[in-house]
Amino acid sequence: MEKRRRLLHRIALCAIAAPRRIVAIAALVMVGAAIFGVPVAGSLAAGGFQDPGSESARATRVLTDTFGRGDMQLVFAVTDPAGVDSASARAAGLAIATLVGEDPAVADVVSTWTVAPEAAAALISADGRSGLVVAELTGDENTAPRIAQALVDEVATTVQPRHETVAVLAGGSSIVYSQINSQTLRDVLLMEAIAIPLTFLVLVWVFKGLLAAALPVAVGGLAIVASMSVLRLVAMWTDVSIFALNLTTALGLALAVDYTLLIVSRFRDEVAAGAPRDRALVTTMVTAGRTVLFSALTVALSMAAMLLFPMYFLKSFAYAGLATVALCAVTAIVVTPAVIALFGDRLDAFDIRRMLRRTPAAEPRGEQMFWYRSTKFVMRRALPVGLAGTALLVSLGLPFLGVSWGLPDDRVLPSSATAHRVGDMLRTEFSDNSEAAVTVLVPDAEGLTPQDFERYAAEASTIEDVSMVSAPTGTFADGRRVGPPAGGAGVQGGIAYLTVGSTTASFSPESERQLDRLRALPGPGGRPVQMTGIAQINRDSVESIMARLPIVLGIIAVITFVLLFLLTGSLVLPVKALVLNALSLTAAFGALVWIFQDGNLGALGTTPTGTLVVNMPVLLFCIAFGLSMDYEVFLLARIREFWLAGGRRDNDESVALGLAHTGRVVTAAALIMSISFGALIAAQVSFMRMFGLGLMLAVLIDATLVRMVLLPAFMHLMGRWNWWAPAPLARWHARRTGTAEQNANPTNPGPP
């Protein structure tokens, strides 16, 4: 603790001694980081939702290595008002099938115009106007989208112009990922265009000046471009999801505002109390700077827990979160005091509010009086207020009990996207949904005969909603060769696979029941089998996350508990913080289920699928939990200062004074952070819209109802027990924090 204090003290002295040099170095770093980091999008991928160690992933790798097949599809829907048998439709379909089939990354192509008549029926729409060209790609979720997009572009430039009467739409899982990727890049730009101007307007009002308002924007900008550079470096040795860019931008701006606002507000408090500017800056860095470090450590460790999940989608947010939080904290602690020292009184120049004469000179005192009185009001009615607030949060969280998990499909894209339109056609106009097919792999097929596979196929065909089963063809162990190699099944090197067609909708209860019945069947010749396909991938992903979730939640809880004990010296306050955070997050999750899964409020313009993307609540929990602790640290650090300064005698007064001096900071920071995350609601990818709304709700609920109402109510009810710890721990903490903190002298220790 003393080492941290000495470090912060030295940073303050360096800022006072050489502010121009620090600001100049920061500007050069920002330029260099921007040059290297801004092109990061080209190194990122749109996948990462699958567990690479799951059964479905292992089966897919065997299929790719042995048979040259993958689990990504490219689907072209060819529509002609004259019908699929028209000369124009046939010519266009055959041209597309030929062009796509010539690509070495395409394992197999089937189409309405190239398969046997009995098989073509499944590839023709109910109205007879649309036919399909279905290509199976050998790449994975990282490489296949790029291959598919190149083929789509080639079809658009070479085939489509020659057949203007025929409409061609591209879809399939590979194009879903490709369009998610490109849409996310547009969403990031849109989010920045919304968030930055709105944030700056609020900053001008909160920081009371144009120059001061530019400080957090500069801090956030440096942290964001530096984080992008880190992501680009990480992407050189492992997969990184493109969605991490959304978090980097939103979180970087939000935390930059939090940390700079805390430092600037504390500095102004010290100056208002009569301290010389240099001394005020040193005191600010030793107190508020320490709070920033604690807050950043809490947020970063909460996000680091996502590294325990195997999906690189979640790992990517851990990389982005760790980089952004660390860089925001370092930048705020180093750059902010230098700017304060450099500009001095000019930092408050161009105060728009004063120019408009709408703010009295004593406004900070008036704001403190408001928070002081409101906190006293809450504590006088602590029991009914606490019960009412808890009941409200629990009721808001009840819809979360009915949550259903799924993976993203074409419906996460806007309805105008071609992948979404093709997906709708497959679900409503075609009898067979190729995306819902289940691939059954027999890793040990040595000694099996064609009859073993035929018997398995016959039994699987009796399962409800199974449209067909393709028994493997090729050369068997006894030397017999059955039929030509087929796209839906095969046998080679003692390994075989079959394809089970399905008419069920993805992520539906019918799909789950069908998969259960397939898994209950004995394999061909009684051999064990592995399965892949969207239903099995979805099940593996959910099970993988749920298996690790208790460990992740436990680690986050322990980390939070330990850090808050180190901050407060209490064992009670960390428990209270964990309970309140759980309540606020449950309420936010309940709202997400009610809106995006159940489709209320028009699902905010998205397409409800009856499920939530399984990765998102985990992501939301880790990030929102960390951000909730951000405000908890702000408040408890200040409350503890007053508790120590008052001789540990008046708990209620310490709470009221703590909120009086931090209420404005927390409220303003939450408002600005909600703007940053709320801008994600403009995203066209539905689960990122859900992500933005979830974080915005979590932040607003936490900063208002929880921190300003439930926290003082519960702290009043606990009284002196808030600060309890066993005597040995209390003595250890007192030695750890040192006597300087025990004799803290916060600004304005009396009532505001």
Side-chain angles (χ1 to χ4, degrees), residues 427-445:
R427 281 183 289 271
T428 59
E429 300 180 27
F430 291 85
S431 60
D432 191 16
N433 183 2
S434 60
E435 293 280 341
V438 178
T439 301
V440 181
L441 177 72
V442 186
D444 179 17

Side-chain angles (χ1 to χ4, degrees), residues 74-403:
L74 171 60
V75 179
F76 289 95
V78 181
T79 303
D80 190 337
V84 296
D85 292 326
S86 69
S88 55
R90 176 175 296 276
L94 291 175
I96 293 172
T98 301
L99 186 154
V100 172
E102 292 174 349
D103 193 293
V106 175
D108 187 50
V109 179
V110 296
S111 76
T112 305
W113 304 274
T114 57
V115 299
E118 58 271 16
L123 301 174
I124 300 176
S125 63
D127 61 9
R129 296 180 178 180
S130 301
L132 301 179
V133 179
V134 182
E136 184 179 322
L137 307 182
T138 57
D140 58 17
E141 59 182 351
N142 296 330
T143 58
R146 289 193 290 270
I147 297 168
Q149 190 59 55
L151 289 171
V152 171
D153 293 341
E154 191 171 357
V155 167
T157 57
T158 61
V159 177
Q160 185 75 65
R162 298 200 305 266
H163 305 280
E164 295 181 355
T165 61
V166 177
V168 179
L169 297 177
S173 54
S174 60
I175 292 299
V176 170
Y177 281 102
S178 175
Q179 292 184 351
I180 286 176
N181 202 335
S182 58
Q183 184 62 58
T184 299
L185 293 178
R186 293 193 293 270
D187 288 345
V188 169
L189 296 176
L190 177 62
M191 185 195 75
E192 292 174 347
I194 295 173
I196 293 177
L198 288 178
T199 298
F200 188 74
L201 289 176
V202 177
L203 286 173
V204 171
W205 194 263
V206 171
F207 278 79
K208 297 180 291 186
L210 289 173
L211 191 58
L215 174 59
V217 175
V219 169
L222 175 54
I224 289 169
V225 296
S227 299
M228 288 180 174
S229 298
V230 172
L231 289 181
R232 189 174 182 186
L233 290 173
V234 174
M236 291 179 178
W237 58 270
T238 189
D239 293 321
V240 178
S241 172
I242 193 169
F243 299 107
L245 285 179
N246 296 80
L247 178 65
T248 297
T249 304
L251 188 65
L253 187 58
L255 289 181
V257 171
D258 277 10
Y259 297 156
T260 53
L261 180 57
L262 182 67
I263 292 172
V264 171
S265 297
R266 183 58 184 263
F267 174 75
R268 285 170 170 168
D269 278 352
E270 296 293 334
V271 171
R277 296 185 67 87
D278 289 354
R279 181 180 174 184
L281 186 57
V282 172
T283 303
T284 295
M285 294 309 298
V286 172
T287 54
R290 173 176 175 266
T291 302
V292 168
L293 289 180
F294 256 106
S295 171
L297 185 61
T298 306
V299 177
L301 290 178
S302 295
M303 295 185 182
M306 287 185 287
L307 291 172
L308 297 178
F309 293 104
M311 299 83 171
Y312 78 77
F313 176 84
L314 292 175
K315 288 179 182 288
S316 299
F317 280 87
Y319 306 145
L322 286 169
T324 305
V325 173
L327 290 166
C328 270
V330 171
T331 305
I333 287 175
V334 173
V335 175
T336 304
V339 172
I340 291 174
L342 179 63
F343 288 99
D345 293 334
R346 289 174 296 168
L347 192 66
D348 296 329
F350 306 108
D351 187 346
I352 301 299
R353 301 193 303 178
R354 187 172 299 170
M355 292 177 184
L356 296 176
R357 298 181 179 179
R358 299 179 65 176
T359 305
E363 184 203 13
R365 197 76 170 176
E367 288 180 351
Q368 291 178 5
M369 183 65 74
F370 167 78
W371 290 112
Y372 182 85
R373 289 177 174 173
S374 64
T375 303
K376 286 286 191 178
F377 175 85
V378 168
M379 289 191 290
R380 285 195 298 269
R381 298 161 178 80
L383 186 59
V385 167
L387 291 175
T390 302
L392 175 61
L393 293 179
V394 170
S395 62
L396 290 174
L398 288 178
F400 191 60
L401 296 175
V403 67

Side-chain angles (χ1 to χ4, degrees), residues 461-642:
S461 297
T462 63
I463 295 176
E464 185 179 1
D465 296 322
V466 169
S467 58
M468 52 76 69
V469 181
S470 57
T473 59
T475 303
F476 286 81
D478 59 5
R480 282 182 294 171
R481 182 173 181 80
V482 180
V491 58
Q492 182 176 319
I495 301 173
Y497 76 100
L498 310 88
T499 300
V500 179
S502 176
T503 60
T504 63
S506 301
F507 314 121
S508 64
E510 294 78 14
S511 176
E512 287 295 306
R513 287 195 296 269
Q514 184 184 78
L515 185 62
D516 288 335
R517 290 167 184 167
L518 281 173
R519 298 194 65 84
L521 281 181
R527 303 290 175 87
V529 300
Q530 295 176 351
M531 296 186 182
T532 186
I534 189 64
Q536 185 64 49
I537 292 171
N538 180 61
R539 179 172 295 186
D540 288 344
S541 299
V542 172
E543 290 177 352
S544 176
I545 287 177
M546 294 306 166
R548 292 168 174 81
L549 192 58
I551 299 174
V552 171
L553 297 183
I555 290 174
I556 291 176
V558 170
I559 289 172
T560 300
F561 188 93
V562 171
L563 288 177
L564 286 183
F565 167 73
L566 293 176
L567 178 70
T568 65
S570 165
L571 294 186
V572 176
L573 291 177
V575 173
K576 173 201 64 64
L578 291 172
V579 172
L580 291 181
N581 279 6
L583 284 173
S584 63
L585 289 177
T586 300
F589 289 163
L592 296 183
V593 171
W594 188 73
I595 294 172
F596 292 99
Q597 177 179 305
D598 299 340
N600 293 292
L601 300 181
L604 291 187
T606 65
T607 303
T609 62
T611 63
L612 293 185
V613 175
V614 65
N615 296 277
M616 298 312 295
V618 176
L619 180 63
L620 278 168
F621 179 88
C622 294
I623 296 176
F625 192 93
L627 294 176
S628 297
M629 296 312 302
D630 192 40
Y631 299 134
E632 185 82 13
V633 168
F634 285 7
L635 291 172
L636 290 182
R638 200 73 158 123
I639 290 171
R640 186 171 185 270
E641 285 187 34
F642 288 109

